[in-house]
């Protein structure tokens, strides 16, 4: 039997340092953040000098220092970009075309748009509010004239990805081209699955399966919501690590029986989990669970030891690198801290049960 290679220990430290640095930066004003970035740069240069002199600090201290400094630098660059946009466009009117990246239902429809052309710089993300229910879908391209808000985006709006916010009358938003690419394919698959559920099952049952399979709990009836709330199991209606782990565990067992315990089975299981995450809207908690499950499966496929703490740190690092503003989302931190707490407490209760 092949000997397992040691686990990659720096992942947990890097994930904690990077996410912690991003979170701490959100509570600093611009001038304070600039001072912190300058101090972090000075400390990094001092550490580099010590390394050159042959007196390096510990590897953990070096990793924390450089990763946290990188997080502060990214936060400073993002803050400068937001201030520049706010000074230029606050309270102004802009006409542009953009692609819808996210749709928010509620008392007022909300669209997160990425600008493609027009008055605003391409790539700018704008959270557009419009009266009534949503009329457009993710992946579609629209043109509009927008009244930009004079206030900067709130923490919640920053967590949703907005650089600017504004209001557009419902009739002023016009469709320029339909959705295309993988976003369009995923949207059509969601609608097809939703239609099959409602054609096959009763409305209450269809709403339940739509919540646990597609991540959309808006169609749940009040009676179903009350039943789950009364039994303390309402969390089952939110796509989380439980759903991802069950799906990938079942898929992994099937693929291993067919293909053996190798890399092909690991890749197919990861793809199955990734497709499910896309179908359910790719919430940070679901992406975190998918990455951690992939780490667990890769341990067997690549003959490495598995550490839950390192898997969680790696997932946090990937999420923060992909979208540094994820630290503004309370759901992200609740998911991470709850998972860390379970890993910390699990050995204690396992030992107690065995005794």
């Amino acid at each position: 039997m092949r000997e397992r290679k040691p686990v990659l220990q720096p992942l947990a430290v890097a994930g904690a340092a990077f996410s912690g640095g991003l979170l701490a930066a959100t509570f600093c004003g611009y001038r304070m953040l600039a001072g912190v970035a300058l101090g972090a740069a000075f400390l990094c240069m001092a550490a580099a000098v010590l390394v050159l002199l042959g007196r390096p600090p510990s590897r953990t201290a070096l990793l924390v220092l450089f990763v946290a400094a990188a997080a502060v630098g990214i936060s400073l660059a993002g803050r400068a970009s937001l201030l520049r946009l706010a000074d230029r466009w606050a309270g102004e009117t802009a006409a542009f075309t953009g692609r819808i990246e996210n749709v928010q239902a509620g008392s007022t429809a909300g669209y997160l748009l990425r600008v493609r052309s027009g008055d605003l710089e391409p790539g700018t993300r704008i959270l557009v509010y419009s009266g009534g229910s949503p009329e457009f879908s993710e992946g579609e391209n629209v043109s509009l004239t927008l009244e930009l808000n004079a206030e900067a985006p709130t923490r919640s709006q920053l967590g949703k990805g907005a650089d600017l916010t504004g209001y557009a009358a419902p009739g002023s938003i016009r469709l320029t081209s339909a959705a295309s690419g993988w976003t369009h394919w995923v949207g059509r698959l969601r609608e097809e699955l939703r239609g099959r559920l409602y054609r096959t099952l009763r409305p209450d049952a269809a709403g339940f399966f739509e919540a646990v399979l597609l991540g959309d709990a808006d169609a749940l009836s009040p009676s179903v919501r009350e039943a789950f709330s009364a039994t303390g199991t309402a969390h089952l209606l939110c796509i989380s690590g439980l759903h991802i782990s069950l799906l990938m565990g079942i898929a992994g067992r099937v693929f291993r029986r067919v293909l053996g315990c190798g890399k092909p089975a690991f890749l197919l299981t990861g793809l199955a989990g990734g497709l499910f995450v896309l179908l359910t809207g790719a919430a940070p908690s679901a992406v975190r669970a998918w990455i951690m499950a992939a780490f667990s499966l890769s341990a067997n496929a690549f003959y490495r030891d598995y550490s839950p703490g390192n898997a969680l740190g790696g997932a946090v690092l990937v999420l923060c690198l992909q979208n540094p503003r994820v630290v503004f989302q309370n759901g992200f931190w609740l998911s991470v801290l709850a998972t860390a707490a379970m890993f910390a407490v699990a050995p204690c209760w396992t030992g107690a049960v065995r005794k």
Side-chain angles (χ1 to χ4, degrees), residues 58 152 167 170 176 232 254 257 334 347:
S58 68
Y167 177 80
T176 58
V254 172
R257 281 187 173 274
L334 287 173

Side-chain angles (χ1 to χ4, degrees), residues 8-33:
L8 299 176
Q9 297 290 348
L11 282 176
V13 177
F18 195 75
S19 60
L22 291 176
L23 179 63
T26 64
F27 296 102
C28 297
Y30 181 70
R31 292 183 178 179
M32 181 183 293
L33 184 59

